[in-house]
Amino acid sequence: MSGGDMAKPLLGHRSMEGDPSIMPTTGRTIGVLGSGDFARSLAIRLVCSGFKVVVGSRNPKRKAGLFPSAAEVTFQAEAVKKTDVIFVAVFREHYSTLCDLADVLAGKILVDVSNNTEINHHKESNAEYLASLFPACTVVKGFNVVSAWTLQSGARDGNKQVLICSNNQEAKHTVAEIAQVMGFTPVDMGCMSSACEIENIPLRLLPAWKIPIFLALGLFLCFFTYNLVRQVIHPYIREQKNKFYKIPVEVVNTTLPCVAYVMLSLVYLPGVLAACSQLYYGTKYRRFPDWLDQWLQHRKQIGLLSFFCAALHAVYSLCLPMRRSHRYQLIETAVKQAVEKKMNIWVEEEVWRMEIYISVGIIALGLLSLLAITSLPSIANSLNWREFSFIQSTLGFIALVISTLHTLTYGWSRAFDENQYKFYLPPTYTLTLLVPCTVILAKVIFSLPCIQQRLLRIRRGWEKGRYVKFVLPSATGEYSSGETSSNV
Ligand code: NAP
């Protein structure tokens, strides 16, 4: 895997945390328009953070009891007069009802916290719409990615980032300062044109997970069908044996490790392809094709899904002896052996195979758990680059090798047993070995000194066919420089 491949995701926008120009000031009065869930949570958090809060409601008498006593609840116009930063905690559809306040709002900062119900619901973002209704105000988009619950429970229990954008730098800094005092991490998303993107964020359903989930489901479906044909349909057609009871546990349990194993190899395959591309073109500055770029970006999710399937496989396997069918089969076998007067049923090879198979499987699952834990942002952030790369890259590859041993000890000599080829279909484990073994072989080839050196040079900026300045130590130990073609 290329050194930069496992780079932790970089935040595309500038975090404003620690910005020296943001000087937290409490004691300032902040206005909130609206008295709903979000307004209430916002008021509580603002009060707890040391701000004076004035809430503007259409019906202050009725709503006052819902707010902390430190917050003043008054009519909208009154509230607006008392402050120059106002959070508009009102739905977009009701913005126009605030137009009567246009005069008192003039020159003030309006913070648009609204969300939509659908992605790209309106042509212009809510914040741009608010700005068009109140041209004499400065509108800042922010806080919409934080839920009312997170606001109430404090930034510790939820997403800490508050994405902020505005066309006015000063206003943006004022809102960023408030967010920081409230315990959030303000992130500068640039000018108002980013508002639409910010408003779409809370509506996205696991965007980074779509491709990995479809991939996992696709693999599951393929392996499940394959196993179903081999384990259930084949005995039914060929021997008229009813093995349909195997579907819920046994077939699923033979499918899950196949998915986990192949998915784990798919985490490392794009790194191999990236390295091949770099070796072929002799440069790291050539863009990878889009599909490879996408694949590289989804490795974390693919790895986590692999861990999920492996964990399910472990639980299913532990439950296998609990099944009634298993008990009946055990008793049946015991009775048969008693009838045949067989005293010694111990098969040394089978005993060893099983011991190694289970032990190696447990180690593989342990390593996968480690990979999963260290991919969590809070843990990943506490590791330096070398530690992160060692765990995700080196230990991850070791996990793949150990999983291969687990698969091989499971299969043992079945690949060479004619009876295992149901409808001429090879045992499932032989199919699952294809991609992981390719990855392992490629990694071994890349570790050969001649190839490793070339890859390292490419990753340090060397390019095929380009003249580069070089520095050579002379016989006296001094360095002399010159120019050569790096291709030579
Ligand atoms: P809500 O509970 O329905 O409150 C909306 C408030 O708007 C009402 O309490 C009302 O207060 C006020 N309002 C002003 N003019 C109004 C009118 N003409 N008709 C009806 N109400 C009017 O909604 P919410 O959950 O607090 O959400 C408020 C805003 O925050 C929305 O834009 C939402 O997208 C955004 N937001 C909410 C959350 C969340 O977790 N709830 C998270 C992020 C963003 P008065 O009756 O006192 O005037």
Side-chain angles (χ1 to χ4, degrees), residues 54-237:
V54 51
V55 179
S57 168
R58 292 169 303 164
N59 197 339
K61 264 195 189 156
R62 199 154 65 98
K63 303 290 175 73
L66 302 171
F67 285 83
S69 54
E72 182 188 344
V73 184
T74 179
F75 287 102
Q76 290 174 332
E78 283 303 308
V80 170
K81 278 182 202 156
K82 293 186 176 174
T83 170
D84 50 8
V85 181
I86 300 132
F87 283 80
V88 184
V90 171
F91 283 104
R92 175 192 171 120
E93 302 83 76
H94 304 137
Y95 284 176
S96 55
T97 64
L98 304 174
C99 282
D100 295 345
L101 305 169
D103 289 341
V104 265
L105 282 173
K108 312 215 165 177
I109 298 173
L110 297 184
V111 186
D112 183 293
V113 301
S114 65
N115 280 319
N116 288 316
T117 44
E118 281 169 40
I119 290 184
N120 296 327
H121 194 177
H122 303 279
K123 238 167 73 199
E124 61 183 346
S125 66
N126 296 349
E128 284 167 315
Y129 173 59
L130 186 68
S132 71
L133 289 179
F134 300 95
C137 300
T138 309
V139 175
V140 177
K141 179 82 210 176
F143 284 86
N144 63 307
V145 293
V146 195
S147 69
W149 161 253
T150 303
L151 274 173
Q152 245 187 60
S153 57
R156 286 179 311 280
D157 280 3
N159 179 15
K160 275 193 77 169
Q161 286 190 343
V162 168
L163 312 182
I164 293 169
C165 76
S166 173
N167 287 337
N168 186 306
Q169 284 296 330
E170 211 179 306
K172 196 157 58 178
H173 266 75
T174 307
V175 177
E177 173 193 315
I178 295 167
Q180 202 167 329
V181 175
M182 289 165 80
F184 291 100
T185 308
V187 178
D188 187 350
M189 296 287 286
C191 57
M192 193 51 103
S193 51
S194 305
C196 203
E197 188 192 337
I198 302 180
E199 283 167 14
N200 282 338
I201 288 174
L203 298 174
R204 290 206 192 112
L205 185 67
L206 308 171
W209 286 85
K210 257 187 204 150
I211 295 174
I213 286 175
F214 280 124
L215 182 69
L217 285 178
L219 280 173
F220 186 89
L221 215 66
C222 291
F223 282 119
F224 183 85
T225 315
Y226 194 83
N227 289 328
L228 186 77
V229 170
R230 283 178 46 82
Q231 292 174 251
V232 181
I233 310 287
H234 181 270
Y236 184 71
I237 293 180

Side-chain angles (χ1 to χ4, degrees), residues 347-363:
V347 182
E348 190 74 12
E349 186 186 307
E350 273 301 295
V351 170
W352 274 102
R353 181 183 76 82
M354 206 64 187
E355 301 288 313
I356 298 169
Y357 162 67
I358 292 174
S359 170
V360 173
I362 292 170
I363 297 171

